[in-house]
Amino acid sequence: SNTIEANSSTFLMTNMTPQTSELNQGPWEKLETYSRSLARRGATLYIIAGQYGERGKVKNKMTIPSNFWKIVVVIPDKGNMTNINQETRIIAVDMPNTNGIKDRNWRDYRTNVQTIEQKTGYKFFTNLNQDVQKKLKTKIDTR
């Protein structure tokens, strides 16, 4: 919902991390725009994002990540989590936090969830049936 409370609980300074302007204004933004277009066409999106690695520090305090990743679970027709199955579309990307990529397409950075798990140590889709988990974690989006 678009309430002050919802925005306040989402946009926290502790949730911020340094991202190059080339990444932020390039493929990352293009994926955000594409995701919004899916939502406008009636899809429900569950989005998980984060970063890993280190390419330096800001003021010797804040880590500058080497990569940013995002997982978008696309459920058509205003569905919800109960509609997730082996055919559910999963968009997973792993993008370098570098310059020189502003004109790149987000699709250039597609990967699978399993690879993001290996690079981050996180585990995703743990509440899903094992067969569904395995299928969703290993597929790479082709649309």
Side-chain angles (χ1 to χ4, degrees):
S1 68
N2 289 334
T3 65
I4 291 173
E5 292 79 18
N7 282 329
S8 296
S9 68
T10 303
F11 299 104
L12 305 171
M13 293 300 286
T14 56
N15 204 18
M16 296 182 73
T17 185
Q19 191 177 69
T20 65
S21 61
E22 294 250 337
L23 172 58
N24 186 268
Q25 297 167 17
W28 194 261
E29 192 280 328
K30 290 171 187 160
L31 177 56
E32 288 176 341
T33 297
Y34 179 72
S35 298
R36 281 191 293 275
S37 75
L38 293 173
R40 275 194 300 275
R41 287 182 275 171
T44 297
L45 306 179
Y46 293 95
I47 301 172
I48 312 156
Q51 77 281 332
Y52 67 89
E54 182 177 329
R55 27 174 310 241
K57 297 239 185 223
V58 175
K59 298 182 180 180
N60 287 328
K61 291 182 180 179
M62 185 185 306
T63 298
I64 302 168
S66 62
N67 289 68
F68 282 83
W69 55 268
K70 186 176 281 194
I71 299 166
V72 182
V73 180
V74 183
I75 304 170
D77 304 322
K78 296 185 173 46
N80 59 41
M81 288 188 156
T82 62
N83 300 109
I84 296 174
N85 59 46
Q86 292 185 1
E87 303 307 314
T88 298
R89 183 177 181 195
I90 303 295
I91 301 170
V93 296
D94 185 353
M95 301 181 185
N97 191 25
T98 60
N99 290 315
I101 64 170
K102 188 172 183 179
D103 296 327
R104 298 283 299 269
N105 191 305
W106 65 265
R107 290 174 175 89
D108 296 342
Y109 301 104
R110 286 182 290 202
T111 187
N112 63 35
V113 172
Q114 189 171 43
T115 300
I116 293 172
E117 285 183 332
Q118 290 165 352
K119 291 181 178 182
T120 64
Y122 296 134
K123 295 291 178 208
F124 302 103
F125 309 150
T126 55
N127 289 341
L128 298 176
N129 161 299
Q130 287 288 327
D131 293 334
V132 173
Q133 269 190 59
K134 185 172 183 177
K135 178 79 172 172
L136 295 183
K137 287 181 179 189
T138 57
K139 68 193 215 178
I140 296 177
D141 185 64
T142 58
R143 294 187 215 171

